[in-house]
Amino acid sequence: MRPSILQEKNSNQQEINWYPGHMLKAKKEVAVQLKRVDVVLEMRDARIPISSVNQDFEELLGNKKRILIFNKTSLADKEVTRIWEESYLTQGIPFLFVDAIKKSHLQELLPLSRNMMQKKWSAFRRRGIRPPTLKMLVCGIPNVGKSSLINRLSGRKAAVTGPTPGITKHQDWIKLGNDVELLDTPGLLWPKIKDQETGLKLAITGAIKDSVIGTSQLSIYLIGILKRKLPDKLEKYYKLTPGDLDLFPEDILQKIAEKRGCIKRGGTFDKTRAESIVLRDFRQGKLGRLSFDYPNDSYEV
Ligand SMILES: Nc1nc2c(ncn2[C@@H]2O[C@H](COP(=O)(O)OP(=O)(O)OP(=O)(O)O)[C@@H](O)[C@H]2O)c(=O)[nH]1
Ligand SMILES: [Mg+2]
């Protein structure tokens, strides 16, 4: 099924109207499982701590014990991440900035989760009962690294992962030793993404399929940011000249296409291939670390 994509709101603003049916189903299934869960690990993307907040979780998760996990820090700007960490320290919410692939700060997760259960578990122990298995639900936007985190914590390939959003289709309980179980869940977005910039950031970082917004708009938006924030990386990686960076993003894309030999039969420029190359290189971290949300933007956790 090809989703209906961008709804024209006015000449400057578009509204992303896309909510695949399976997400609604998955959201209902999370609600059912929540009763059995001790702690929720709500995953967000460290590059977009604001734009990866799914406000639907507020109502869905209610008063459940929650840890915010900001993943993919190895792809985020170090200094911006440091400022984000500081800002969360003042908010009194348990949180961790981690990287599931590089395994950074993952060792802090289980002690933090167990710590949150101490009061309840002490009550069990006082009555001479062994505390039950710690059950944790992992949720978040698509492609944020839920299954990768579970694999890292369990030390095996217990869950399927992949570079495109929507890899996990069903919930799955995964055991970690004898006393912890993690529930992997499908990625969840909210029904309407009203702010176009948020949609672009979610798509660039991988939560929304490229086909929803289109690689043309995405790559132009990305090159526009790269030329401002990481001009040296952009220039070096694609062997551009400093003068090339003064061009419009569309023209920089054409330069990249030339350098990469993206030429169709007949000699015309293969724009679509060049767009895919830039998006892929960025997502693999080849163009450097980049954060899209800044702590001084207005936001709600
Ligand atoms: N650099 C980096 N890449 C990561 C990290 N975590 C996950 N990835 C990559 O991001 C992509 C998505 O990872 P998944 O674990 O499948 O994400 P998910 O949240 O389970 O995705 P869905 O099941 O589709 O919702 C994969 O290509 C992973 O290799 C991370 O911490 N750092
Ligand atoms: Mg998954």
Side-chain angles (χ1 to χ4, degrees):
M1 178 190 73
R2 196 179 155 86
S4 75
I5 18 183
L6 290 171
Q7 268 189 351
E8 202 73 29
K9 247 177 121 188
N10 59 44
S11 54
N12 300 320
Q13 261 211 315
Q14 292 166 314
E15 190 179 271
I16 296 170
N17 184 12
W18 176 62
Y19 194 55
H22 75 257
M23 282 194 196
L24 183 63
K25 189 166 163 262
K27 191 174 149 187
K28 286 183 183 158
E29 284 168 0
V30 165
V32 171
Q33 289 295 331
L34 266 180
K35 295 174 199 110
R36 308 176 55 203
V37 166
D38 300 301
V39 178
V40 172
L41 305 179
E42 185 195 329
M43 293 188 71
R44 299 178 184 177
D45 190 311
R47 296 165 294 177
I48 49 168
I50 307 170
S51 306
S52 57
V53 177
N54 185 341
Q55 294 290 352
D56 287 354
F57 286 151
E58 296 313 309
E59 197 192 329
L60 183 67
L61 304 178
N63 293 327
K64 273 280 163 198
K65 290 187 176 57
R66 201 187 319 185
I67 303 176
L68 303 180
I69 313 264
F70 296 91
N71 193 35
K72 303 199 184 184
T73 49
S74 70
L75 299 174
D77 182 296
K78 273 189 185 160
E79 179 57 13
V80 177
T81 300
R82 190 191 62 73
I83 302 171
W84 272 119
E85 286 193 75
E86 269 178 13
S87 89
Y88 277 96
L89 279 173
T90 62
Q91 295 187 29
I93 305 163
F95 73 91
L96 284 174
F97 278 76
V98 307
D99 193 277
I101 299 298
K102 303 262 181 211
K103 294 193 186 173
S104 66
H105 296 281
L106 289 190
Q107 71 283 5
E108 294 164 37
L109 184 51
L110 285 179
L112 178 62
S113 315
R114 288 197 170 104
N115 208 22
M116 290 170 80
M117 296 304 295
Q118 272 325 312
K119 216 169 143 194
K120 195 170 171 190
W121 285 354
S122 304
F124 275 101
R125 287 193 190 102
R126 274 198 301 276
R127 285 186 279 146
I129 305 167
R130 221 180 85 197
T133 304
L134 171 61
K135 289 196 164 67
M136 300 201 280
L137 181 145
V138 185
C139 65
I141 59 169
N143 200 248
V144 71
K146 299 175 292 299
S147 305
S148 300
L149 179 92
I150 291 174
N151 287 346
R152 283 302 193 212
L153 293 173
S154 67
R156 64 199 156 96
K157 209 169 164 4
V160 183
T161 65
T164 49
I167 296 286
T168 303
K169 303 267 189 260
H170 309 283
Q171 296 186 342
D172 193 14
W173 281 103
I174 289 147
K175 279 193 169 209
L176 250 66
N178 292 326
D179 59 352
V180 180
E181 280 182 49
L182 292 173
L183 181 64
D184 192 12
T185 63
L188 293 177
L189 283 170
W190 47 104
K192 241 178 209 177
I193 298 165
K194 296 203 176 86
D195 174 45
Q196 196 195 1
E197 188 102 1
T198 302
L200 287 163
K201 291 175 185 176
L202 284 166
I204 296 274
T205 52
I208 297 174
K209 281 190 179 126
D210 286 349
S211 56
V212 173
I213 293 177
T215 55
S216 172
Q217 201 180 339
L218 289 177
S219 58
I220 296 304
Y221 174 76
L222 178 61
I223 292 171
I225 296 177
L226 289 170
K227 76 174 230 178
R228 275 186 288 119
K229 303 267 184 196
L230 297 170
D232 297 346
K233 291 265 185 194
L234 186 62
E235 188 190 317
K236 276 205 188 78
Y237 194 74
Y238 293 115
K239 298 187 171 63
L240 303 171
T241 64
D244 289 341
L245 295 182
D246 296 330
L247 299 170
F248 287 115
E250 292 83 344
D251 300 319
I252 297 179
L253 182 67
Q254 180 145 5
K255 293 278 175 197
I256 293 170
E258 286 164 13
K259 296 280 177 188
R260 288 297 158 109
C262 299
I263 308 295
K264 284 191 209 163
R265 228 183 271 159
T268 55
F269 146 57
D270 191 345
K271 192 167 163 280
T272 313
R273 217 177 111 214
E275 290 161 3
S276 299
I277 286 176
V278 173
L279 290 168
R280 187 201 59 204
D281 290 343
F282 171 73
R283 287 170 181 152
Q284 291 178 352
K286 290 176 179 161
L287 300 173
R289 292 162 161 260
L290 187 62
S291 295
F292 295 84
D293 286 343
Y294 287 84
N296 52 358
D297 295 343
S298 63
Y299 70 99
E300 288 172 20
V301 287

mmCIF file of all heavy atoms in Angstrom, residues 147 160 168 184-185, ligand 2:
data_model
loop_
_atom_site.group_PDB
_atom_site.id
_atom_site.type_symbol
_atom_site.label_atom_id
_atom_site.label_comp_id
_atom_site.label_asym_id
_atom_site.label_seq_id
_atom_site.Cartn_x
_atom_site.Cartn_y
_atom_site.Cartn_z
ATOM 1 N N SER A 147 15.233 -2.498 18.544
ATOM 2 C CA SER A 147 15.669 -3.897 18.430
ATOM 3 C C SER A 147 17.189 -4.006 18.597
ATOM 4 O O SER A 147 17.679 -4.968 19.200
ATOM 5 C CB SER A 147 15.233 -4.469 17.076
ATOM 6 O OG SER A 147 13.834 -4.315 16.917
ATOM 7 N N VAL A 160 15.167 -8.838 14.947
ATOM 8 C CA VAL A 160 15.590 -8.440 13.596
ATOM 9 C C VAL A 160 15.748 -6.916 13.562
ATOM 10 O O VAL A 160 14.910 -6.177 14.084
ATOM 11 C CB VAL A 160 14.551 -8.879 12.531
ATOM 12 C CG1 VAL A 160 15.029 -8.530 11.131
ATOM 13 C CG2 VAL A 160 14.290 -10.368 12.640
ATOM 14 N N THR A 168 10.428 -4.140 12.705
ATOM 15 C CA THR A 168 9.710 -4.971 13.689
ATOM 16 C C THR A 168 8.211 -4.833 13.445
ATOM 17 O O THR A 168 7.663 -3.734 13.477
ATOM 18 C CB THR A 168 10.073 -4.517 15.130
ATOM 19 O OG1 THR A 168 11.481 -4.601 15.274
ATOM 20 C CG2 THR A 168 9.384 -5.391 16.170
ATOM 21 N N ASP A 184 10.110 -6.103 22.761
ATOM 22 C CA ASP A 184 10.391 -5.302 21.561
ATOM 23 C C ASP A 184 9.046 -4.966 20.907
ATOM 24 O O ASP A 184 8.147 -5.821 20.859
ATOM 25 C CB ASP A 184 11.262 -6.122 20.584
ATOM 26 C CG ASP A 184 11.835 -5.256 19.462
ATOM 27 O OD1 ASP A 184 11.763 -4.028 19.553
ATOM 28 O OD2 ASP A 184 12.372 -5.848 18.495
ATOM 29 N N THR A 185 8.894 -3.738 20.444
ATOM 30 C CA THR A 185 7.617 -3.337 19.847
ATOM 31 C C THR A 185 7.853 -2.642 18.499
ATOM 32 O O THR A 185 8.939 -2.111 18.258
ATOM 33 C CB THR A 185 6.847 -2.346 20.774
ATOM 34 O OG1 THR A 185 7.623 -1.155 20.911
ATOM 35 C CG2 THR A 185 6.579 -2.945 22.136
HETATM 36 MG MG MG B 2 12.673 -3.073 15.602
#
